[in-house]
């Protein structure tokens, strides 16, 4: 999701190839042996395989919303916070959401293991709550790269047990997430697509307004 957010906000266009990971097309495997998504294939054949790297590539082409220029602190500070998200917090999220995938770690008590992981993740989210109290976004009074790189994971955490999440003392965090989920950019990138098949009609991303392919359409391919 965060790769799509950056592609959309930067004004880039690509051919979108939706993938079911349980039925990976050979074209994905040929482009990226790691065989996970997202993958961006540039016209010259260069492949970008990590979602954060795709975000940075797109925003360095064009950054009209100034996601790389936070009102407070620096791009390095944003990247450090994103690294925390992508490291410990994402591990906690995965184990909270899918505890049965980690039988060697939960010793037969998956529900208790999930609660422990939720508690660890909650401590990190409390830090985001404190940051958000200062201006509504993580680095000041407008959205930046860190917000858009972290929000999709906070959304997963929140929706794992929405009733529990709603009871937490995080008014700024809850508002931050709700404002993003109600925005036009979120709606634009959340459109559902059928799995891609070789030979099918090209799918433009972001969605084309009015059904017309713009003259600026590129040969980028995004799995």
């Amino acid at each position: 999701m965060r790769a799509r957010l950056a592609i959309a906000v930067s004004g880039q266009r690509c051919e979108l190839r939706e993938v079911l990971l349980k039925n990976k097309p050979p074209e994905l495997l040929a482009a990226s042996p790691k065989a996970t998504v997202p993958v961006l294939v540039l016209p010259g054949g260069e492949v970008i395989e990590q979602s954060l790297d795709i975000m940075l590539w797109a925003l360095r082409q064009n950054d009209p919303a100034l996601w790389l220029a936070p009102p407070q602190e620096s791009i390095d500070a944003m990247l450090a916070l994103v690294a925390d998200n992508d490291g410990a917090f994402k591990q906690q999220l995965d184990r909270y959401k899918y505890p049965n995938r980690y039988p060697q770690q939960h010793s037969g008590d998956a529900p208790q293991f999930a609660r422990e992981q939720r508690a660890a993740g909650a401590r990190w989210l409390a830090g985001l709550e404190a940051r958000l109290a200062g201006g509504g976004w993580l680095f000041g009074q407008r959205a930046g790269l860190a917000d858009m790189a972290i929000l999709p994971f906070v959304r997963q955490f929140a929706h794992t047990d929405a009733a529990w999440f709603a009871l937490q003392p995080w008014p700024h965090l809850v508002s931050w997430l709700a404002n993003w989920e109600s925005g036009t950019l979120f709606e634009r990138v959340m459109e559902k697509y059928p799995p891609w098949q070789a030979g099918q009609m090209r799918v433009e991303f972001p969605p084309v307004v009015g059904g017309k392919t713009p003259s600026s359409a590129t040969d980028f391919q995004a799995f």
Side-chain angles (χ1 to χ4, degrees):
M1 185 188 297
R2 66 187 187 180
R4 292 186 183 188
L5 288 165
I7 289 173
V9 81
S10 68
Q12 307 303 305
R13 299 203 62 81
C14 65
E15 177 187 0
L16 180 68
R17 297 181 174 183
E18 187 71 25
V19 169
L20 288 179
L21 291 178
K22 64 182 179 182
N23 186 24
K24 300 170 184 176
E27 291 82 359
L28 170 62
L29 300 176
S32 174
K34 77 180 181 74
T36 59
V37 293
V39 173
L40 184 67
V41 183
L42 299 180
E46 180 185 355
V47 176
I48 306 177
E49 299 180 315
Q50 302 296 332
S51 58
L52 181 59
D53 291 337
I54 293 173
M55 293 187 80
L56 291 169
W57 174 86
L59 295 170
R60 285 165 180 163
Q61 310 308 305
N62 187 35
D63 186 17
L66 301 178
W67 285 6
L68 298 181
Q72 299 174 6
E73 299 183 56
S74 67
I75 180 66
D76 288 340
M78 288 199 296
L79 290 173
L81 189 64
V82 174
D84 287 343
N85 172 85
D86 292 2
F89 178 68
K90 187 177 184 301
Q91 290 181 13
Q92 293 150 5
L93 168 62
D94 289 343
R95 287 157 178 76
Y96 167 40
K97 192 173 181 180
Y98 307 110
N100 290 325
R101 293 182 181 178
Y102 304 92
Q104 295 180 335
Q105 297 181 33
H106 64 57
S107 302
D109 191 348
Q112 177 60 27
F113 176 69
R115 287 191 291 270
E116 291 169 355
Q117 297 302 308
R118 182 177 69 186
R123 289 191 287 272
W124 192 75
L125 292 177
L128 296 188
E129 168 70 16
R131 270 192 166 274
L132 293 165
W137 298 94
L138 293 174
F139 286 84
Q141 296 185 344
R142 57 174 165 77
L145 172 72
D147 300 276
M148 297 304 165
I150 293 171
L151 270 162
F153 297 96
V154 175
R155 180 175 182 266
Q156 288 185 51
F157 193 98
H159 286 263
T160 300
D161 186 340
W164 176 89
F165 189 85
L167 294 175
Q168 304 313 302
W170 301 330
H172 299 97
L173 187 77
V174 169
S175 178
W176 175 65
L177 179 60
N179 288 341
W180 176 64
E181 289 183 317
S182 64
T184 57
L185 181 60
F186 177 85
E187 181 181 359
R188 196 177 185 204
V189 304
M190 287 297 289
E191 183 168 334
K192 301 295 185 182
Y193 299 90
W196 176 83
Q197 296 181 359
Q200 75 173 45
M201 184 177 296
R202 177 188 178 100
V203 175
E204 292 287 335
F205 182 83
V208 178
V209 177
K212 296 181 179 180
T213 302
S215 58
S216 60
T218 73
D219 291 326
F220 304 165
Q221 297 166 357
F223 292 91

